Amino acid sequence: MGITNSLVAVFPGSFDPPTNGHLDLIARATRLTGKLIVAVLSNENKQALFAAEERIAMLQEATSLPGVEFVIFDGLLVDFAAKHGATVILRGIRAVSDYEYELQMALMNRRLSPNIETIFLMSGEENSFVSSRLVKEVARLGGDVSGMVPKVVHRRLRERFQGDLNC
Ligand code: PNS
């Protein structure tokens, strides 16, 4: 349980795939929250490498912290948050380049639901260059991403791209 035990927060994202950056944020967020709902976007209209169920399974295997739930979501984030009794949306910021996108989303979410506050955590410096997009690109091209993702993700990426590399 975190320092504000009554706080229910949502940590939304694509998590395609989960990275060490995500896990670091989840671990740090649990120190602040009573319940942290990691909300995995179902990406019905986006091209995802892993199905939402696979992403949840990877997150569950890589994380064993009390007070964390993993849930697939679609539709509006603020509706999902309200349905789960969350008053806070948590997001990570790596560099200034993240700021504009995050600001836009935070302001849109505030306009849609003024009672839900977005709180940002700075990513750990060791993960500040790590993104799911780049991890996928590097793994697809045969590069080593072992220090950037949990073991289970590394394994699944290897399985996924093995066929491509053997072509
Ligand atoms: O990991 P990502 O891809 O940066 O996460 C983006 C996410 C899932 C947080 C964002 O796309 C989202 O909230 N989607 C749900 C739809 C929604 O509520 N859109 C309006 C909010 S700006």
Side-chain angles (χ1 to χ4, degrees):
M1 279 281 185
I3 49 171
T4 43
N5 284 349
S6 59
L7 187 74
V8 180
V10 176
F11 178 37
S14 300
F15 302 100
D16 185 41
T19 67
N20 286 348
H22 293 130
L23 293 189
D24 173 54
L25 287 176
I26 291 169
R28 283 163 47 213
T30 57
R31 291 185 222 130
L32 307 170
T33 57
K35 180 157 105 177
L36 181 69
I37 303 164
V38 178
V40 176
L41 186 70
S42 82
N43 289 86
E44 265 159 25
N45 49 2
K46 264 194 188 179
Q47 277 288 334
L49 180 64
F50 295 103
E53 292 76 10
E54 294 179 276
R55 286 175 266 145
I56 293 253
M58 288 189 272
L59 281 163
Q60 274 166 338
E61 190 173 330
T63 322
S64 57
L65 291 166
V68 185
E69 281 177 20
F70 301 96
V71 182
I72 295 175
F73 88 105
D74 53 19
L76 278 180
L77 176 60
V78 289
D79 291 345
F80 174 88
K83 194 173 126 203
H84 287 80
T87 51
V88 161
I89 294 169
L90 267 173
R91 290 282 290 173
I93 288 208
R94 287 163 300 198
V96 178
S97 48
D98 285 340
Y99 177 78
E100 240 176 283
Y101 171 57
E102 293 299 333
L103 177 69
Q104 228 180 351
M105 282 205 296
L107 294 181
M108 177 61 82
N109 285 330
R110 189 195 292 162
R111 173 64 68 90
L112 294 172
S113 183
N115 296 327
I116 299 177
E117 199 62 56
T118 301
I119 295 182
F120 295 102
L121 294 182
M122 297 303 143
S123 73
E125 61 276 18
E126 66 281 15
N127 298 309
S128 60
F129 65 96
V130 177
S131 70
S132 297
R133 185 180 62 81
L134 282 183
V135 159
K136 277 185 284 196
E137 183 175 316
V138 171
R140 181 180 287 119
L141 297 170
D144 180 12
V145 294
S146 55
M148 304 170 209
V149 293
K151 276 199 178 72
V152 55
V153 174
H154 189 224
R155 196 172 65 234
R156 300 298 297 274
L157 282 168
R158 274 211 317 254
E159 286 164 8
R160 189 52 61 98
F161 291 128
Q162 201 101 64
D164 296 2
L165 293 173
N166 289 339
C167 289

